[in-house]
Amino acid sequence: SSAMSALTEKDKTHGEDLPSTSVYGNLRYPPHYAWDCSCIMRQLYKTSMLSLALASPLTWSMDLQQAYELALSNDPDWSSTVENYHATQETSLQARSALLPNFSANASISSNHIDPTEPIPSFGLYNRTYTDKTYGVQAMQPLFNADAWHGYHLAKALTSQAQANFANDEQQFILNIATTYFNVLRARENLAYAQAQELAIGRQLAQTKKRFEVGMVSITEVHEAQAAYDSSVADRISAETQVSTSEENLFTMTSKHDDQLAVLRSDAPVTEPPEGNESSWINKATEDNPRTIAARYAYQAAQETTRQQRSDYLPNLALVGNWQDVNTGGANPLSDGKNSSVALQLSVPIYSGGLTQSKVRQALAHEYAARDQLAYAQRLAIQDTHNSYLTVTTDAARVKARQQAVSSSQSALIATQAGYDVGTRDIVEVLQAQRDLYASKSAYANARYDYVLDGLRLKAAAGELSAVDIAHLNRWLDPEASISVNSLNPEINAPQEPVAVPGGAHPGSLRRHQ
């Protein structure tokens, strides 16, 4: 409200009170041109209020580091990734158990009743009921089991592949939270420029209508200004939607709504090319890219699978030990007592109906596919690194060019407005110059955010992105700065020139008949 009051006071000083509806309420237009300027002013007021809401100071401002830490605790997708990773770590332990001793215990108790047709005492066949009790333990140690051995190495390769995939997921998580955070800042900044454009064109429309009232411009120029204003309203609505969408995406990851975010500082180093040459980045990607590492372990796992399937041709040898305590309740005294045994158990496969041969051929096909996937992953890592390196280099140059474009657009707007005031430029050129200014500002802001995010993507392609980069980037954020129409667009506070009718000339002779 204070910012809007300041704008109103400046306009009053120059004879214009933009928020007032009475100034325009008695203007006499042709019947089919009955514009309601109060609607325009109310919309400008709502736009200003929304921009000030974005800039209102809060007691706590969330920065990138805090957003990252909140996402670690609250993002359900990341939590699911962590739990799945923990589950895969058990694979190698399960496979190793097939190589270690196995112990088991058994016990049984049964109640028996004998009722022979003709009792034969000499054989102990007579009516009786007895209880049979047995318990024991068994131990088995594999001595030679090629299937279990290669299965263990297969599980280790799969575990290492899961670790590499988790490292890639972690990099993507860091990249996602940074992208989501800066997309909120990007959307809010674009909204501020859309709001400033709406305010500037709304003022231009109001002045054009007053000029038409006193006969200084034609009705065509009023139509042009109205069309430009309507277009700016549509742009502002689209920008508001983008802000809402980006904020909801951040809430999904952090489980926190926060209107005040730390802003990227104006002196952030966003015009520097990447450190090192392209070859050094490609070498890092070849060795450290987690997707390449995962593909390498996948190929190793496929090789172990082939060896495991071929092991089905080989025999298995195990050492088995048993100990039992048997009590037949007197029914079979010769079986009562404790007994133990130690044995070598040999199993030799002879023929399985062609199953083993088929499994070996299948495993070989998967092995060749994994080898090709490894080559593809290496090429893809090189391509991603090459493209990211060029993109960051281009972003650095683009930021400088966009910054210069903002200065040029501001100078062009001033010159065009001056030409319009003296009659050498028309309203279309003024409106276009205003649109160009805010488009340049928006492009400059987008270029800065692109540089930051593309730099993170380059590190991810090289396998170097980590939480340390979040902390480093967080130092270039200002928790006390804000994104608002007034802070990003000081030109909207410039005083407006009063509409004056030149003395001695008919008001409409200047433009209406040009």
Side-chain angles (χ1 to χ4, degrees), residues 242-260:
Q242 191 60 42
V243 168
S244 178
T245 301
S246 60
E247 289 177 344
E248 192 63 28
N249 291 338
L250 183 60
F251 171 77
T252 300
M253 296 192 70
T254 63
S255 188
K256 180 176 179 60
H257 280 297
D258 202 311
D259 291 334
Q260 186 72 6

Side-chain angles (χ1 to χ4, degrees), residues 202-217:
R203 284 183 171 183
Q204 192 69 50
L205 173 61
Q207 282 212 349
T208 302
K209 289 181 176 180
K210 292 189 68 175
R211 289 174 184 243
F212 174 77
E213 177 195 10
V214 297
M216 295 179 64
V217 298

Side-chain angles (χ1 to χ4, degrees), residues 30-63:
H32 54 289
Y33 295 123
W35 296 276
D36 184 6
C37 292
S38 63
C39 294
I40 300 172
M41 294 304 105
R42 285 195 297 269
Q43 187 59 58
L44 292 177
Y45 182 80
K46 292 178 182 178
T47 301
S48 179
M49 291 302 99
L50 181 58
S51 66
L52 291 175
L54 291 176
S56 59
L58 299 179
T59 58
W60 186 73
S61 175
M62 182 168 67
D63 58 21

Side-chain angles (χ1 to χ4, degrees), residues 399-443:
V399 171
K400 295 179 181 178
R402 295 297 187 188
Q403 187 176 22
Q404 183 60 41
V406 172
S407 300
S408 300
S409 298
Q410 289 174 333
S411 300
L413 176 59
I414 295 173
T416 304
Q417 184 66 53
Y420 177 71
D421 292 337
V422 299
T424 59
R425 298 292 185 93
D426 57 29
I427 188 63
V428 176
E429 294 175 292
V430 174
L431 296 172
Q432 185 60 49
Q434 289 178 332
R435 285 192 291 261
D436 290 344
L437 172 60
Y438 297 111
S440 297
K441 287 190 172 186
S442 179

Side-chain angles (χ1 to χ4, degrees), residues 63-69 173-175 177-179 182 456 465-477:
D63 58 21
L64 180 59
Q65 181 68 39
Q66 292 163 337
Y68 170 71
E69 293 171 357
F173 173 76
I174 293 173
L175 187 59
I177 186 62
T179 301
F182 283 110
L456 297 180
L465 184 61
S466 67
V468 176
D469 297 288
I470 292 291
H472 176 74
L473 186 57
N474 197 65
R475 293 200 296 265
W476 293 104
L477 300 180

Side-chain angles (χ1 to χ4, degrees), residues 494-510:
Q496 303 296 305
E497 293 296 332
V499 177
V501 179
H506 189 276
S509 63
L510 296 179

